Amino acid sequence: MAQTRRKTPRHESVISLFLLAVLFIIGLSVVIPQFNLRTSRTVVSAGAAKTLDSLLDSIVLRRTPDGAAGFEPLSEIAVYNAENLYEKIDGKAPFYVDSGFEKLLTNWLKSQQDDQLMFEFYVYDMAEPANAFSVFSVQKRPDASPLALFETNFGYRTENALLFVQGKYYIELIGSAKSEPLFNAMTEFAKQLSAALPDQRQFSMPEPLIAAGDNLIPGSIKFYTGNALGFDGFDNTFTAVYKIDSSNVTIFLSDRPDESSAEQLVRDYCKFLIDTGAEEKSADIDIDKARMLDFYGTIELVFNNGPVVAGIHEADDIETAVKVARLLNDILKPDTEK
Amino acid sequence: MKIVTVRRISQIFFFTLFVWFCIVTTYGGKFWQLRNWPANLFLNLDPLVALGTILTTHSLYSPLLWALLTVILTIIFGRFFCSWLCPFGSIHHFFGYLGSRNKTAAQKIKLNKYRKAQSIKYFILIVLLIMAAFPSLAATLQTGLLDPIPLVTRSFNLILLPIADGSVNILSVTQRFYETTFFIFAFFLAAVLLNFVIPRFYCRFICPLGALLGIISRFSIWRIGKNTKTCSNCKSCEQHCEGACDPSANIKIAECVLCFNCRDDCKTKDNVIRYQAKPSLAGEVTNPDISRRGFVLSLASGFLAVPAVRLAGKIKANWPHNLIRPPGSLAEPEFLKRCIKCGQCMRICPTNVLQPAGLDAGLEALWTPVLNNRIGSSGCQLNCIACSQICPTATIRPITLDEKLGKGSFADKGPLKLGTAFIDRNRCLPWAFGKPCIVCEENCPLSPKAIFTREYFSTVRDGFLTVKKVVGNTIETVEKNLTLDKFATGDYYCSLDGSQKGKIVTNTNNAITISKEVKFAKFPAEGSTIHIQVRLQRPYVDIERCIGCGVCEHECPVSGKKAIRVSAESESRSADRKLLL
Amino acid sequence: MNEQNDRKLNRRRFLARAAKAGLSIAAAGIIAKTLYDKQGPSAQPPSELVTIPDFSVPAMPGRTISIVKGRDRVKTIDKAIDLLGGIERFVKPDDTVVIKPNVAFTSVPALGATTNPELVAEVIRLCYSRAQAKQVYVTDNPINNPSSCFTISRIGKAATSAGAKVILPRVSFFKLTTLEGGKYIENWPVLYQPLAKADKLIGIAPVKSHSRAAASMSMKNFYGLLGGRRNIFHQDINTIIAELVMLIKPTLVILDGTETMVTNGPTGGSFSDLKRTDTIIASCDAVAADSFGCSLLGLKPADLPYLAKAQSAGAGTADYQSLKPIIANVT
């Protein structure tokens, strides 16, 4: 009995091939994740933790230089990763995690002589010097005073705390009381730690800020990995406080990939300000495409110089804003054009 | 490319995937072990598992959300699951094909005609769903008995793979063995062999999942149907119709499994049979063929089945004490509402201690996991939580190691207990037979141990001897029938008038040598009696520490009825079975 | 003609079927969504839900909230409570009182991240000596290790020296509760054990800035009664804070703004994070207390969305002026 071989209609073939493709994709999606297997989602490899751990343990505070008694660790070093960081610092955790946080090592050191004197150290591994500098600079306390041990941009003290940044690490030493002997012990700890940390890189400031040199308030440079000045377009942005005539004004600058994206960012920032109620003013300034806005009584001035976006934030009056913006633009101009 | 070709490829693909997932349900990190393979994929896709647990627990456990995908695709396309995905269906398809290969066309058509008995599966479905929907604690999930995915999973997990692996021992170092598997196998074999009677017997007459999908596919957008009226009525389309749905006449949509064999077999050039959006020109029936009487009857059976099944009396005061459940299991009423008897936990257990329960725990607990400490390599390993991680319905809650061991935030609750070990002093070697043994204490994995021993000296049979002469440290006895070196094991002591003891080093058939380190205060006089005593360490269980892991029971050398046995008292999952306050 | 009718009929039937299919899919989706259970079953059967008792005392108009300025915490809190009618209005003889301070961190008192132990000691003293309470308990479910927190914050010592008992959290002390009308507190563990046998509940919290919630004051203080992996609620911090005051109705809340943490909250770390504002607020309405307290941080009530949420849920009022706060000074 001869069977009439029907030719498979085209739409049937198409659908069949499509279904075959679906099967193939299902197969891939089952197999491929097997190659990306991460053995441990939680803590960083034990090896890395151990070296920093033992380093911190090895910093011995026997007799501090002025003869105060030694300090000893209260318990074991606690290690936190991005998933459980909140268990230690609660609401501040997202700030660190969003800035690239990887690991925190922390412990208490207590004076062997006086029970009330102790300090806690926090060593944050932020993965990159830029991130470490960012969390360091953004959280700088208003009463920061300089430290002999560190350059002003990289370390400071308050009444009871010593905070500094080194390489990819951000370190906080928090003392339990206002006590010079205690602070001396913390300084000694910081000195030994700074010398022994495996990452000795120093975060490099951008050229323009170095060029601005003495005109900036020492230690006022901040680096934001995101959300500078409250605007989410300002990632990778520096701010600093510029001294002009007897007042201060905040400047900012941000390196963008190219000139057109810099120009776009200027437009976006202005739109953001206008949307939140700023009034645009005509920028009486000889910087190409510079824009000036009055934001509830303070002046914002923003422009781009090639791929760099720069500007003035919350200036008190137009003259100051324009003056500093010109100075900033001059610094940004490449040497040949000056 | 024909659609039936893709369908066959799909069957092979999913069947292979299924077997692979059964293979990788093995504890470990290698490529062919669990890692993060989605080993529960088929169970998660199964809408009957999801519906059953929704009815019993009023919640949809998150991995089972996949079933929604199956439901949506079935609503749109029809019962594709049965002939494109279901591994059990593929097995039946294959054996049905084998069985009818050499039959004539007319015989084949006859085999595939629609039978009224195909409505039995709907009754089965209704009975199972009613049992699951029964209000409150009485609800019981028995869908796992007949639901094809759990059924085929446990058949492979518990029988086929152990048999296959038995000779090559790749998956498991020793032969894995499961109890009651004869019945599981009989079930499986019967279902497969019935395909030689009628193809896809199970799918057509019994499968409750097929019934559920049949009901859901009522509104499918596309369905098989006749496209033109120029059909010659040769019925070739029914030669290989898998669903026995009558495609040549009034097609029964609820029975059609979308195998597309009808379309492939149709001889007419005009392409009579199509998968189309309009109803078949020869007529179609979307409702399952259930009579009202049948429906009411199955409803009633469902209601009555629950108390009938519960009347086995295994509740409240008469609870079965040797039913030890895996660590992390829910309390029994909740357990029975979730367990689908898939056997995944039993398969992944690295020590093979999890076994399918028989009928002694009640009909409801049939094939649910219990520990049998005599089987496998060693009780429940202390640092293992494999079964709790793989259970697809959270019948065994996904616990952390901290919770199992009572560490970290669970430090106050203490470790999870499966039960408590009880020493049977009538069978224990040191207790009943004067034979030294501390195997249970040695093997207790806890630190500090939950088994401790107390020293006890017991005079051996024929151990009262009369002193003949004492030479140095050797005592010659009047009796000459001592077995050479019987007392030389280091466990035997010679006791002089009940007080001083000296360890026996060697003995001949009439002399006993005491260890040189012993200094007797007073030497036994000639004619006095000495006792030969065996030093026993009698084990005691510390019931505050014991977690019922069963390692002691497994190691006990009394290999028949063990001298130390775990019983379910004090299991953490049941508040009312505590031994202690 | 016939064919056209046929086609029309088929199309109508098709549309009807498609509509039914769509409805079935929607129904299946809705069932799946409402019954979706991410965590799986808990160790205890679900029927053991508890309700937190209502610890509030009858309202007295004009004596709901007091704001007292003073440098000495003990004198200031005494005055603040007296202005509302004295401790005797709140704690009756033979009462069992639970005090819930902020013991969240292993932080010394000087850093202001936890409740000042002097305040805890003084409130305990008032409960015992003036109100003749039978027993006072002090409890919290800290973020860091509980016993270290109670030790380093000195609250443990202050409590026991004053005659109170410290209740450290244990897993068995937590019971599941569901807040009616709540989105997040559903079958969620709360530190129920100390509250179960209590007659009165007093919350004592410092005023702190908070990077996520803008401020952490008397309402957020009750976060310390939640158990489980409660940090997931930080994703919708304003709703959960509002739900906290819907769940917990305390007898009295005391908000300590003597040294307010104005920067780097909630953990602070430097003494320069604190600003001397020398104010203590005692209030029967935690929402009102917070709506005044935020001014010590330089914020307005509108800056704290959780105030409005709590007010619209009926858990208090964000307009503290309407309660006629009693204002005083203590030298």
Side-chain angles (χ1 to χ4, degrees):
Chain A
M1 199 154 39
Q3 240 185 323
T4 42
R5 270 267 167 265
R6 244 187 10 249
K7 197 166 157 354
T8 319
R10 213 173 140 248
H11 67 271
E12 183 175 338
S13 294
V14 168
I15 294 179
S16 305
L17 285 170
F18 170 72
L19 288 172
L20 211 51
V22 169
L23 287 181
F24 185 64
I25 292 174
I26 294 177
L28 282 182
S29 58
V30 167
V31 173
I32 286 191
Q34 297 309 311
F35 294 102
N36 283 345
L37 186 61
R38 280 202 223 126
T39 42
S40 163
R41 290 168 54 234
T42 52
V43 192
V44 205
S45 67
K50 232 185 238 171
T51 45
L52 195 56
D53 223 336
S54 45
L55 183 125
L56 288 161
D57 271 339
S58 69
I59 295 179
V60 160
L61 298 179
R62 290 272 153 66
R63 294 248 146 219
T64 52
D66 60 356
F71 278 67
E72 56 185 9
L74 203 58
S75 59
E76 272 187 14
I77 291 186
V79 183
Y80 295 89
N81 57 37
E83 276 179 18
N84 61 3
L85 180 63
Y86 79 94
E87 281 173 21
K88 182 67 186 168
I89 61 174
D90 189 46
K92 280 206 269 193
F95 171 64
Y96 284 95
V97 173
D98 288 342
S99 305
F101 167 81
E102 289 205 334
K103 184 161 51 110
L104 163 68
L105 281 85
T106 175
N107 197 4
W108 286 92
L109 284 157
K110 191 169 81 154
S111 163
Q112 282 161 337
Q113 216 175 53
D114 183 353
D115 244 21
Q116 306 284 61
L117 288 184
M118 44 191 190
F119 69 94
E120 201 173 8
F121 67 75
Y122 292 77
V123 177
Y124 291 89
D125 177 347
M126 298 302 296
E128 286 297 322
N131 298 337
F133 184 75
S134 177
V135 298
F136 164 76
S137 60
V138 169
Q139 287 186 102
K140 206 169 229 192
R141 270 70 163 177
D143 69 333
S145 27
L147 272 168
L149 206 50
F150 300 102
E151 201 202 298
T152 319
N153 275 323
F154 299 105
Y156 66 93
R157 71 164 288 181
T158 66
E159 268 182 330
N160 68 314
L162 200 165
L163 305 95
F164 66 99
V165 61
Q166 171 135 343
K168 59 171 178 156
Y169 298 101
Y170 167 55
I171 294 110
E172 287 186 345
L173 306 177
I174 316 273
S176 65
K178 274 183 283 201
S179 146
E180 276 318 295
L182 175 61
F183 199 80
N184 290 336
M186 288 158 63
T187 308
E188 179 63 26
F189 184 86
K191 194 156 81 175
Q192 291 190 31
L193 181 58
S194 172
L197 275 173
D199 190 346
Q200 293 290 327
R201 296 176 283 181
Q202 195 182 63
F203 179 66
S204 46
M205 298 295 166
E207 276 292 319
L209 291 181
I210 300 177
D214 288 334
N215 291 318
L216 294 176
I217 290 188
S220 68
I221 300 179
K222 293 191 204 278
F223 176 68
Y224 291 83
T225 54
N227 238 307
L229 309 185
F231 175 53
D232 60 12
F234 278 144
D235 56 3
N236 195 19
T237 302
F238 284 89
T239 66
V241 182
Y242 197 98
K243 292 186 286 195
I244 179 96
D245 296 337
S246 51
S247 62
N248 300 331
V249 73
T250 305
I251 62 169
F252 59 92
L253 56 84
S254 179
D255 227 334
R256 313 314 298 173
D258 52 50
E259 181 154 8
S260 58
S261 52
E263 287 173 4
Q264 182 60 44
L265 184 59
V266 172
R267 286 193 285 270
D268 287 340
Y269 183 53
C270 291
K271 179 169 190 306
F272 164 73
L273 289 174
I274 291 169
D275 283 345
T276 27
E279 271 178 46
E280 179 126 22
K281 295 227 177 308
S282 69
D284 191 15
I285 186 172
D286 53 353
I287 301 175
D288 196 26
K289 291 194 210 134
R291 297 182 57 183
M292 183 151 66
L293 299 96
D294 180 327
F295 189 72
Y296 296 104
T298 61
I299 301 294
E300 300 283 311
L301 211 166
V302 58
F303 61 95
N304 72 296
N305 184 317
V308 181
V309 171
I312 316 296
H313 177 64
E314 284 184 355
D316 287 325
D317 53 77
I318 296 182
E319 293 91 84
T320 319
V322 167
K323 204 163 171 184
V324 181
R326 278 210 189 100
L327 290 165
L328 198 51
N329 195 33
D330 279 338
I331 297 177
L332 287 170
K333 269 205 192 79
D335 276 315
T336 51
E337 282 187 38
K338 283 203 187 144
Chain B
M1 161 151 291
K2 297 196 279 183
I3 191 85
V4 283
T5 314
V6 185
R7 187 214 79 223
R8 286 177 193 136
I9 294 176
S10 176
Q11 284 177 300
I12 296 173
F13 172 72
F14 281 107
F15 184 75
T16 313
L17 202 62
F18 168 75
V19 175
W20 178 245
F21 286 153
C22 285
I23 290 176
V24 300
T25 310
T26 309
Y27 191 66
K30 297 204 182 59
F31 189 82
W32 47 269
Q33 291 172 332
L34 189 58
R35 286 160 47 113
N36 53 2
W37 289 103
N40 283 338
L41 183 65
F42 287 88
L43 291 163
N44 291 339
L45 284 170
D46 183 341
L48 187 55
V49 173
L51 181 58
T53 50
I54 284 179
L55 289 173
T56 51
T57 67
H58 309 130
S59 71
L60 179 66
Y61 184 49
S62 68
L64 301 177
L65 189 62
W66 278 104
L68 186 63
L69 180 66
T70 314
V71 168
I72 291 178
L73 290 176
T74 306
I75 291 178
I76 299 177
F77 296 107
R79 251 173 91 175
F80 72 97
F81 189 92
C82 303
S83 67
W84 288 65
L85 238 130
C86 180
F88 204 34
S90 300
I91 294 176
H92 294 306
H93 191 140
F94 179 67
F95 279 90
Y97 161 75
L98 281 183
S100 54
R101 219 164 27 139
N102 292 324
K103 298 202 158 57
T104 64
Q107 283 172 319
K108 286 197 241 190
I109 293 171
K110 191 147 170 265
L111 279 178
N112 290 332
K113 77 171 196 300
Y114 173 75
R115 291 176 173 76
K116 199 116 194 329
Q118 281 171 236
S119 53
I120 292 179
K121 58 179 184 290
Y122 297 98
F123 299 135
I124 293 177
L125 175 69
I126 292 171
V127 170
L128 291 173
L129 292 181
I130 295 288
M131 289 173 80
F134 214 84
S136 82
L137 286 182
T140 176
L141 190 64
Q142 299 303 313
T143 56
L145 291 171
L146 294 174
D147 187 343
I149 309 292
L151 195 158
V152 72
T153 307
R154 79 173 160 265
S155 307
F156 270 76
N157 277 347
L158 306 184
I159 314 152
L160 297 179
L161 280 181
I163 292 178
D165 190 48
S167 38
V168 293
N169 276 335
I170 297 179
L171 296 179
S172 162
V173 174
T174 53
Q175 166 87 52
R176 288 185 71 105
F177 168 77
Y178 296 97
E179 297 182 294
T180 78
T181 46
F182 173 72
F183 292 104
I184 300 178
F185 189 54
F187 219 92
F188 179 75
L189 197 62
V192 169
L193 290 179
L194 280 168
N195 292 308
F196 289 108
V197 176
I198 295 179
R200 284 219 182 214
F201 188 94
Y202 193 88
C203 306
R204 296 179 191 178
F205 299 105
I206 305 180
C207 182
L209 176 59
L212 180 64
L213 295 174
I215 295 176
I216 293 177
S217 62
R218 292 185 63 198
F219 305 125
S220 60
I221 309 288
W222 292 276
R223 56 275 302 276
I224 297 287
K226 275 198 195 166
N227 187 30
T228 96
K229 289 208 160 82
T230 63
C231 163
S232 59
N233 251 323
C234 66
K235 293 211 192 253
S236 294
C237 52
E238 293 186 11
Q239 275 183 53
H240 299 106
C241 174
E242 293 293 316
C245 53
D246 258 356
S248 65
N250 232 347
I251 181 170
K252 320 241 173 323
I253 300 297
E255 303 298 312
C256 171
V257 294
L258 294 182
C259 64
F260 292 103
N261 279 344
C262 47
R263 181 173 162 78
D264 194 43
D265 284 334
C266 177
K267 297 213 183 63
T268 314
K269 259 198 183 157
D270 278 340
N271 209 338
V272 176
I273 300 269
R274 293 191 62 183
Y275 184 54
Q276 57 190 16
K278 56 185 186 191
S280 174
L281 280 172
E284 68 171 15
V285 174
T286 51
N287 290 338
D289 187 12
I290 325 175
S291 65
R292 176 167 298 177
R293 193 162 40 139
F295 181 70
V296 172
L297 203 62
S298 47
L299 271 182
S301 319
F303 273 107
L304 291 173
V306 171
V309 147
R310 286 277 161 112
L311 279 176
K314 301 288 183 181
I315 46 170
K316 295 287 170 186
N318 196 21
W319 59 275
H321 58 86
N322 50 3
L323 193 77
I324 317 288
R325 292 284 191 204
S329 298
L330 299 169
E332 196 65 8
E334 301 298 321
F335 190 95
L336 294 175
K337 281 191 198 176
R338 284 185 182 254
C339 181
I340 52 171
K341 310 161 206 292
C342 63
Q344 291 285 73
C345 53
M346 302 173 218
R347 175 98 196 120
I348 197 136
C349 174
T351 61
N352 200 12
V353 72
L354 287 183
Q355 299 289 319
L359 290 168
D360 44 331
L363 186 59
E364 284 178 276
L366 185 63
W367 296 334
T368 57
V370 293
L371 271 83
N372 184 333
N373 293 310
R374 294 171 62 191
I375 299 180
S377 61
S378 91
C380 175
Q381 285 282 297
L382 199 59
N383 287 303
C384 173
I385 46 170
C387 57
S388 80
Q389 301 299 309
I390 204 160
C391 179
T393 53
T395 312
I396 309 174
R397 287 178 302 116
I399 56 178
T400 58
L401 206 51
D402 268 357
E403 184 176 354
K404 186 176 191 213
L405 301 175
K407 293 213 164 99
S409 48
F410 293 94
D412 192 61
K413 274 205 151 152
L416 280 182
K417 295 189 181 196
L418 306 184
T420 311
F422 288 79
I423 295 179
D424 185 341
R425 294 186 182 178
N426 291 323
R427 299 177 69 84
C428 174
L429 292 174
W431 279 100
F433 307 117
K435 298 286 177 221
C437 171
I438 50 161
V439 171
C440 57
E441 191 258 356
E442 281 173 344
N443 281 285
C444 178
L446 299 176
S447 173
K449 290 186 190 270
I451 300 180
F452 61 98
T453 58
R454 287 197 177 127
E455 202 177 60
Y456 181 82
F457 288 90
S458 164
T459 309
V460 304
R461 189 183 187 193
D462 300 332
F464 297 93
L465 302 171
T466 321
V467 177
K468 185 167 164 197
K469 188 163 67 169
V470 178
V471 176
N473 262 30
T474 305
I475 304 176
E476 258 187 56
T477 57
V478 169
E479 292 83 354
K480 288 189 171 64
N481 56 356
L482 307 176
T483 316
L484 181 63
D485 272 341
K486 181 177 181 199
F487 305 125
T489 62
D491 298 303
Y492 293 89
Y493 287 70
C494 174
S495 165
L496 314 178
D497 43 4
S499 52
Q500 308 170 75
K501 291 198 220 301
K503 192 190 273 197
I504 300 176
V505 176
T506 56
N507 71 288
T508 63
N509 59 349
N510 68 336
I512 295 178
T513 311
I514 317 261
S515 160
K516 288 221 174 26
E517 286 162 10
V518 176
K519 305 256 181 295
F520 284 115
K522 204 174 74 177
F523 265 87
E526 206 181 292
S528 62
T529 318
I530 53 169
H531 307 201
I532 308 295
Q533 292 195 316
V534 60
R535 175 179 168 269
L536 301 168
Q537 286 162 288
R538 288 182 163 170
Y540 292 77
V541 173
D542 182 347
I543 60 175
E544 283 173 23
R545 292 202 199 282
C546 178
I547 57 171
C549 68
V551 173
C552 55
E553 182 178 345
H554 185 266
E555 300 301 323
C556 177
V558 181
S559 54
K561 183 170 178 184
K562 299 278 181 164
I564 180 168
R565 300 186 293 278
V566 176
S567 175
E569 280 86 354
S570 266
E571 57 177 9
S572 300
R573 68 182 186 128
S574 303
D576 51 351
R577 295 182 190 177
K578 286 203 181 87
L579 271 178
L580 303 161
L581 275 175
Chain C
M1 253 301 277
N2 233 357
E3 240 196 61
Q4 246 194 338
N5 275 346
D6 260 345
R7 243 185 278 148
K8 267 207 200 133
L9 193 64
N10 275 342
R11 182 173 303 155
R12 223 187 309 143
R13 277 207 213 126
F14 169 74
L15 287 174
R17 229 175 45 231
K20 287 184 203 155
L23 280 173
S24 321
I25 294 178
I30 291 174
I31 293 177
K33 179 156 196 298
T34 37
L35 295 178
Y36 187 68
D37 173 17
K38 188 117 206 288
Q39 313 157 287
S42 59
Q44 291 145 325
S47 54
E48 286 191 34
L49 283 181
V50 298
T51 342
I52 313 286
D54 183 343
F55 295 107
S56 56
V57 291
M60 270 195 222
R63 296 231 198 175
T64 308
I65 173 171
S66 67
I67 303 168
V68 182
K69 275 189 90 80
R71 278 191 79 88
D72 180 322
R73 281 187 173 88
V74 173
K75 286 203 200 134
T76 315
I77 184 60
D78 281 347
K79 180 89 178 163
I81 296 181
D82 276 340
L83 287 172
L84 294 184
I87 191 74
E88 298 88 348
R89 171 186 164 198
F90 300 101
V91 178
K92 300 292 175 222
D94 252 10
D95 265 353
T96 303
V97 183
V98 169
I99 295 183
K100 159 70 183 81
N102 178 336
V103 203
F105 304 106
T106 48
S107 179
V108 294
L111 289 173
T114 48
T115 302
N116 190 296
E118 286 182 356
L119 278 181
V120 178
E122 180 59 11
V123 174
I124 297 173
R125 186 193 73 79
L126 288 173
C127 288
Y128 277 131
S129 57
R130 278 187 42 190
Q132 317 291 326
K134 181 165 81 173
Q135 179 68 259
V136 179
Y137 295 101
V138 175
T139 191
D140 191 12
N141 182 21
I143 295 175
N144 305 141
N145 170 279
S147 110
S148 309
C149 288
F150 271 93
T151 308
I152 294 192
S153 68
R154 316 259 166 83
I155 291 177
K157 187 129 189 282
T160 46
S161 303
K165 284 204 184 117
V166 171
I167 299 185
L168 293 177
R170 298 179 179 182
V171 175
S172 54
F173 287 173
F174 288 86
K175 295 269 185 290
L176 301 179
T177 192
T178 297
L179 173 66
E180 241 199 70
K183 188 164 148 196
Y184 295 118
I185 302 183
E186 189 185 302
N187 279 340
W188 199 265
V190 286
L191 184 53
Y192 182 68
Q193 184 81 339
L195 303 179
K197 19 180 205 167
D199 297 302
K200 301 287 156 51
L201 173 65
I202 301 179
I204 313 180
V207 179
K208 304 192 288 185
S209 73
H210 192 282
S211 31
R212 191 92 185 85
S216 169
M217 298 181 283
S218 56
M219 287 165 75
K220 185 150 189 319
N221 185 32
F222 291 120
Y223 213 108
L225 290 176
L226 291 181
R229 301 198 60 224
R230 55 192 169 170
N231 75 309
I232 59 169
F233 296 140
H234 270 68
Q235 297 171 43
D236 191 355
I237 192 76
N238 289 301
T239 308
I240 190 65
I241 295 180
E243 288 195 16
L244 286 172
V245 287
M246 289 158 67
L247 182 70
I248 315 260
K249 295 171 196 56
T251 310
L252 180 67
V253 295
I254 295 163
L255 191 52
D256 179 15
T258 310
E259 281 180 294
T260 303
M261 183 183 291
V262 289
T263 49
N264 274 292
T267 48
S270 172
F271 293 149
S272 58
D273 292 326
L274 303 173
K275 179 171 151 195
R276 253 211 179 260
T277 42
D278 284 337
T279 310
I280 294 189
I281 302 113
S283 176
C284 301
D285 179 339
V287 185
D290 281 10
S291 64
F292 171 78
C294 65
S295 63
L296 301 175
L297 294 164
L299 298 169
K300 304 182 288 296
D303 294 325
L304 305 175
Y306 58 77
L307 292 176
K309 275 192 205 261
Q311 177 170 294
S312 56
T317 174
D319 178 11
Y320 66 89
Q321 298 282 16
S322 67
L323 297 171
K324 302 212 183 1
I326 311 174
I327 309 192
N329 266 327
V330 165
T331 39

